[in-house]
Amino acid sequence: MSAQSLNISALHLGETEQKILHVAVRLLQEDEFACQLLGDSDCTGHIVVLDMDSDAAAETLQKLRSSQIKILLADEQRSDRNLVSLAKPVHVETLRFVLGKVCKQLMLHLQKTYDEIVQPAEFSQPTEIASEVNDAEDDYEEEESSLLLVMLEARDQKKCVKIEEEGMPTIYIDGNKSTIASEMDYEHVLEVGLHNNEHHLHKSEFGEKDVDTAADDISLSSLDNFLWELTLKSSENILPDDIDLDTPIKLKAWPNFTRHGFHPDNFKIAALLARQPNSQRNLIEATGLGEEVISRFINSCYAVGLIEVQNDENPVEVPEKRQISEERSGLFRRLAMKLGIA
Amino acid sequence: MNMVNDKIIFTGPVGAGKTTAISSISDTPPVSTDVACSGEERAIKDTTTVAMDYSYIELDNGRRIHLYGTPGQQRFDFMWDVLTNNGLGLVLLINNNNPDPVGQMEFYLDAFADFIRKTGVVIGITQVGISDNATLADYQSKLMERQQIYPLFEIDGRSKQDVRIMIHALLAVLST
């Protein structure tokens, strides 16, 4: 293996966290990060992702080399050398973001080592890479940011963050109160998120009181609502790695549809998934909606943690429509038309 | 066909915004009745009067969808069964400024459990963000704990669009 390929160990992770890690690593690989997941209980990775809720985790943590970068999934935040804590439940985008940052720093370190000794180096003695990562976090004002990733990170880590760009009103994100605020209206902030590549956004942390003060004079929106809509609109016609057309999925809760993101098709899908777990293929058949509509819905639910993959091996059946009379069905249709929502 | 059964029931505690929500989508201003009971309610005629809201939406074929707001006071809970009898579905409104609003949501979901099972429910939370009371996530967590996946919205009862979206979700639940 070349010195530039990074190994990631996954230790004591539950099934869901394993899947999240798999998706995050796959997305990083698609972004051309040279990284790979090691097999079960292989703890030799340059980066180790460890679930601290496991009984054996504390003991495992003690046995890891100090030079390994540890990403701990834990309810309590910890800080130490070469250690990054992520609050649970962790989401794909958060893990992808943090792994990406760590990988980037490690790559720089490896390249530096390579340049110095003019041959591929074994990454056996990395030095305080997490500190570099943390330093990089401190210097993050100098780096460009994705609005979606910053929002997910702020929400998951309950941080207060502001996003700035020259000539653009600041966007304040309060991960504690799950709000965003800006002098820009909601639609403009959404446009920024949707056309991220046209912007040069800079992120920095911010005091909660400052967010309150700033929010006095500017419009305030729900962060979750915004995340839902941004994900829905920016989602591509692909499903998460661990979901295929026939994977049964379950809705954990009714999605937090906003008045901005209201779309009648999503109500149909949500209503069906609320009744019973089902697959994308069956949902397409039951609703008559296009695959892209269903996958956008699933992706958005997945991004905000509302989809649970069912491990039942029994194939799920196409959900039957409720037995309602034609007369009542006509009544509903007329009511929807009357209210302008048909 | 019994057209009187074409009714949607709005329920929730006092001050949840039932009258406002009904008036935002109805064709006529709601009538807040304060009348003596009759018919099935005759048994209680001499002991109390019943306060409730009523209005309707007239469809393009002249048929009416009746909108009933239940009395908010729990002392009128005997009316709930009567009002919901053969109804289409339930709109539950909760004022987030009330003490223990999440508990109130549970109370009404339990009180109307049979009706909800037979039809469907949509939940609207009003006055969100005005106080430090529950967040929408708190309501959602409670529903998840109860293993109930019901449509849940933060709404402004004065907004026709908000109430229309709730009704749309209810129709989706009822027809899919």
Side-chain angles (χ1 to χ4, degrees):
Chain A
M1 182 196 329
S2 76
Q4 277 73 30
S5 181
L6 299 176
N7 291 333
I8 301 170
S9 295
L11 301 177
H12 304 302
L13 298 192
E15 198 172 341
T16 305
E17 282 77 19
Q18 279 277 9
K19 286 175 178 170
I20 287 169
L21 179 59
H22 270 273
V23 177
V25 170
R26 181 179 61 82
L27 292 172
L28 285 175
Q29 287 167 340
E30 285 177 2
D31 287 339
E32 299 186 345
F33 279 91
C35 58
Q36 61 183 13
L37 267 177
L38 295 177
D40 285 350
S41 49
D42 184 340
C43 59
T44 61
H46 303 112
I47 303 167
V48 180
V49 182
L50 183 64
D51 187 339
M52 292 306 290
D53 280 357
S54 155
D55 291 336
E59 198 180 327
T60 304
L61 183 61
Q62 295 297 321
K63 291 177 182 170
L64 294 173
R65 283 177 289 127
S66 61
S67 57
Q68 289 175 292
I69 311 298
K70 296 103 184 166
I71 297 177
L72 305 187
L73 312 184
D75 291 325
E76 285 183 14
Q77 297 294 293
R78 303 170 57 145
S79 73
D80 206 339
R81 208 174 67 173
N82 288 356
L83 188 149
V84 179
S85 273
L86 291 180
K88 291 174 75 176
V90 70
H91 297 278
V92 170
E93 285 302 335
T94 309
L95 195 52
R96 175 193 184 185
F97 174 80
V98 172
L99 277 171
K101 297 279 293 178
V102 172
C103 285
K104 213 169 172 181
Q105 292 299 322
L106 282 172
M107 291 294 185
L108 286 173
H109 175 84
L110 289 172
Q111 189 59 49
K112 200 172 151 192
T113 308
Y114 179 86
D115 289 343
E116 279 172 5
I117 62 178
V118 203
Q119 62 180 16
E122 278 301 312
F123 189 77
S124 54
Q125 298 294 326
T127 53
E128 302 193 11
I129 298 299
S131 302
E132 292 177 29
V133 172
N134 291 334
D135 291 345
E137 292 282 345
D138 295 340
D139 295 340
Y140 201 52
E141 286 178 53
E142 301 306 316
E143 295 187 21
E144 291 183 15
S145 303
S146 148
L147 189 56
L148 177 63
L149 292 182
V150 171
M151 286 181 168
L152 287 167
E153 185 199 12
R155 183 196 61 181
D156 292 346
Q157 298 184 14
K158 299 200 179 302
K159 283 183 185 171
C160 292
V161 175
K162 63 179 177 180
I163 295 279
E164 293 171 303
E165 182 182 41
E166 201 176 333
M168 181 187 87
T170 305
I171 302 168
Y172 301 91
I173 305 162
D174 185 342
N176 289 306
K177 292 182 179 168
S178 207
T179 54
I180 57 171
S182 177
E183 284 177 16
M184 280 189 288
D185 63 24
Y186 185 94
E187 298 301 332
H188 277 98
V189 180
L190 192 61
E191 283 299 310
V192 173
L194 289 171
H195 301 103
N196 218 80
N197 54 352
E198 295 169 12
H199 293 269
H200 301 284
L201 305 176
H202 300 280
K203 172 195 115 169
S204 57
E205 290 199 24
F206 208 67
E208 193 177 341
K209 282 183 181 171
D210 296 326
V211 174
D212 282 344
T213 307
D216 280 346
D217 300 322
I218 55 188
S219 67
L220 205 62
S221 308
S222 155
L223 179 56
D224 276 345
N225 289 357
F226 189 88
L227 277 173
W228 167 269
E229 191 172 358
L230 182 56
T231 316
L232 190 71
K233 290 189 171 171
S234 60
S235 172
E236 293 173 13
N237 188 22
I238 50 168
L239 289 171
D241 203 34
D242 52 339
I243 300 178
D244 63 29
L245 268 174
D246 295 306
T247 307
I249 51 173
K250 181 185 168 190
L251 200 57
K252 288 199 264 186
W254 190 271
N256 191 5
F257 294 118
T258 70
R259 55 201 67 155
H260 303 285
F262 165 69
H263 195 286
D265 291 342
N266 290 333
F267 281 9
K268 282 187 199 170
I269 308 167
L272 282 170
L273 273 178
R275 277 171 49 200
Q276 63 183 75
N278 230 297
S279 67
Q280 190 188 9
R281 192 187 303 279
N282 287 350
L283 289 171
I284 292 168
E285 192 176 325
T287 59
L289 297 170
E291 185 178 339
E292 71 286 354
V293 179
I294 307 275
S295 63
R296 268 203 298 271
F297 177 87
I298 293 173
N299 278 329
S300 300
C301 287
Y302 195 88
V304 295
L306 290 181
I307 286 284
E308 189 176 302
V309 177
Q310 296 286 284
N311 296 312
D312 190 349
E313 289 180 1
N314 298 323
V316 285
E317 294 176 356
V318 178
E320 287 181 14
K321 279 199 166 187
R322 277 175 190 260
Q323 297 298 315
I324 55 171
S325 65
E326 219 168 274
E327 174 259 330
R328 185 152 281 195
S329 158
L331 182 72
F332 291 163
R333 204 167 39 246
R334 285 179 190 279
L335 177 56
M337 280 171 60
K338 169 78 181 188
L339 293 174
I341 51 181
Chain B
M1 168 184 1
N2 183 359
M3 294 207 292
V4 177
N5 292 335
D6 297 341
K7 58 186 177 185
I8 293 175
I9 313 302
F10 288 69
T11 194
V14 176
K18 299 182 293 292
T19 310
T20 310
I22 289 173
S23 62
S24 71
I25 56 164
S26 62
D27 289 343
T28 59
V31 178
S32 291
T33 58
D34 191 4
V35 296
C37 296
S38 59
E40 290 177 49
E41 301 118 43
R42 188 176 298 276
I44 55 170
K45 184 178 178 183
D46 296 331
T47 56
T48 186
T49 54
V50 178
M52 64 180 185
D53 297 313
Y54 167 76
S55 193
Y56 62 87
I57 297 171
E58 190 165 302
L59 305 180
D60 59 354
N61 60 354
R63 194 164 166 183
R64 287 180 176 180
I65 301 289
H66 306 275
L67 309 173
Y68 287 97
T70 65
Q73 300 90 339
Q74 286 177 25
R75 66 177 183 274
F76 291 132
D77 60 2
F78 53 83
M79 277 295 295
W80 297 349
D81 278 348
V82 178
L83 277 176
T84 55
N85 189 31
N86 287 321
L88 294 172
L90 186 70
V91 176
L92 169 58
L93 296 174
I94 299 292
N95 182 339
N96 197 51
N97 259 343
N98 284 352
D100 190 21
V102 178
Q104 286 190 331
M105 175 184 74
E106 287 195 277
F107 170 81
Y108 280 91
L109 289 177
D110 290 338
F112 287 88
D114 284 344
F115 182 58
I116 292 169
R117 197 161 35 246
K118 289 175 198 159
T119 58
V121 64
V122 56
I123 305 165
I125 311 298
T126 60
Q127 311 279 328
V128 176
I130 290 177
S131 70
D132 284 339
N133 261 0
T135 65
L136 215 59
D138 295 323
Y139 294 94
Q140 197 176 57
S141 297
K142 180 55 71 179
L143 289 174
M144 286 166 75
E145 190 184 302
R146 293 167 59 104
Q147 299 190 318
Q148 291 171 326
I149 308 175
Y150 295 145
L152 173 72
F153 300 95
E154 167 191 342
I155 71 147
D156 179 341
R158 297 166 300 180
S159 160
K160 185 172 183 174
Q161 177 68 358
D162 284 8
V163 182
R164 287 191 327 185
I165 287 175
M166 279 208 307
I167 299 295
H168 184 84
L170 182 62
L171 293 179
V173 169
L174 296 176
S175 57
T176 52

